[in-house]
Amino acid sequence: MTQVRVALVYLVAAAAAGGGCLRTALPTAQSENAAAESYVRLVLALGQHDTNFVDAYYGPPEWRTEAAQANWDLPAINKRAAVLEVDLRRLPPVDAAAPDATMVGLRRAYLARQLGALRTRVAMLQGKRFPFDEESRELYDAVAPRNTEVSFQASAEAIGAKLGGAGDLSPRYAAFKQAFVIPPGKLEVVFTAAIAECRRRTLAHIPLPTEETFTVAYVKDKPWSAYNWYQGNYKSLIEVNTDLPVFIDRAIDLACHEGYPGHHVYNALLEKHLVRDRGWTEFSVYPLFSPQSLIAEGTANYGIQVAFSDAERRTFERDTLFPLAGLDPARVDEYYDVLALAKALSYAGNEAARGYLDGRMDAARAADWLVRYAMNTPGQAAQRVKFFDTYRSYVINYNLGEDLVRAYVEKHAGGDLAKRWDVFASLISSPRLPSALKE
C-alpha cells in the first residue's frame, strides 16, 4: 500500500467518523515508530468508549486531548486498526544480522498482536459476544485449561483433612481463616513492613530508577482486591480494597504483586528501558484488555515466589508480620500449609467465570461454585462475580499467566536462583507476548 493510498484511507475514515481532521489523522506507518504512534492514538481513541480500557498513559498529553476532540466512532477505530495491521505487515523485513534484530522482531509481533486485541475489544463494545476461550485467545493470546468438579475434589478433601472437624468445607475454611485477619487499625503498619521487605529484596537484584516510588490508598466499593495505577515518571498509586477482611497473607501478596517486583517494577522498567532509552512510545500506554495484561499479571504473581522462597516467607511472617498484626506467630506453618493446599484450587475461579460468561451458570450458581470449589466466602464470591461482569475472561491472566511465566523463567534459569532474577527482569523489560513464553 502506497503512502498516498494510506493517507487517503485515513482521511476518508476520519471524515466518516465526524470531526476528523488532518491534525488528528494517523501518520502513515512506514516505520515501527510511526506504527507505534498510530497504535497509541488508537488505544486512546478506544478509551473514549471504554473507561476501563486505558489502564495507564504517560505519553504526550496532547495525544489524549486530540483523541477526545476527534471522538472517532468504533467503526472508524476498527478501520484505522485494520489499515495499521496491513502497514505493519508491509514494513521491510527485519535484518537478522542487526544486533537488535530479536528485540525489533518482538516489537513488531507485539504491535500486531496488541492491535488484534484492540479490534476484538471494539467488536465486543459493538455488541459481539465471544465464547470464553475464544475471547481470552483474542484478547490475551492464551486459553486456560479446562477442569471439572472432579479435578478439584482431591484438593478439597486434603484441605478438609488438614482442618479436621465435620460439616461443609467452605464454612470450616472460612472459620479457620478468621483467626488470620489483619485488624483494620494495623493494616497500614503491616503493609508498610511488607512493602519495605519486598522492595529490599527486589533492589538487591534489579536496579531501579532512583526516583521510583508509589503511594498506597485504602478504598472501598471496588470489584477488585487491589489495583496499581501507574502514573509515569516511575510513580504508582496502589489502592487496596477494604470492603472485605484482609488476611495476613495478602500483605506480602499485594506488596509483591502490586509493588516489588510486580506491577510497579514492571511498568517502571518498561518506561526506563523501552520508552525512555529506546523511544518506543507504544509502551507509554497500557490497554488493559490485551496480551500485555497476561504478562503483567503473570509476572506479578510469579514475582512473589521470585522474591521469597516458601521458607523465607514463613520466617519473615513469623518474625515480623504476624507480631505487627497482633497474630500468633506460632501458627504461621499451620496457616501456610493450608494455603498451599488451597492454591491447587485457583483454576476453580476460571471455571466459574467460563460457565457464567458462556451462559451455563447464572450469578447465584457461579457464586455457589466459588464458595464450594474456590474456598471463597459468600462475600468474596459475590465480589468475584462482580469482577467477572466487569473484566470477563481477564481472570485467566492471574493463574495461567503465573504458570506460563514460571515455566518460561525456570526453563531459562534452571535451578540458578540468581539467574532466575535475571531472566525475570529481562522478561518484564521486553515486549514478549504470552504465546512466545513457550519458546
Side-chain angles (χ1 to χ4, degrees), residues 86-148:
V86 173
D87 283 358
L88 277 170
R89 289 195 294 270
R90 293 186 175 183
L91 289 176
V94 177
D95 181 0
D100 218 23
T102 298
M103 282 292 282
V104 172
L106 289 175
R107 184 189 190 190
R108 289 191 186 182
Y110 172 88
L111 282 167
R113 194 63 188 80
Q114 292 283 112
L115 274 171
L118 181 144
R119 296 189 68 193
T120 298
R121 188 63 180 173
V122 168
M124 293 172 67
L125 293 174
Q126 290 176 312
K128 184 171 183 178
R129 282 292 174 262
F130 297 88
F132 183 88
D133 289 342
E134 183 181 352
E135 178 184 306
S136 74
R137 180 186 298 109
E138 295 304 313
L139 290 180
Y140 308 116
D141 197 31
V143 175
R146 288 179 174 266
N147 295 275
T148 65

Side-chain angles (χ1 to χ4, degrees), residues 205-206 306 409 413 416-427:
H205 299 277
I206 300 177
V306 175
V409 172
D416 187 331
L417 296 182
K419 189 174 181 182
R420 183 171 66 173
W421 273 103
D422 292 341
V423 175
F424 182 84
S426 176
L427 175 59

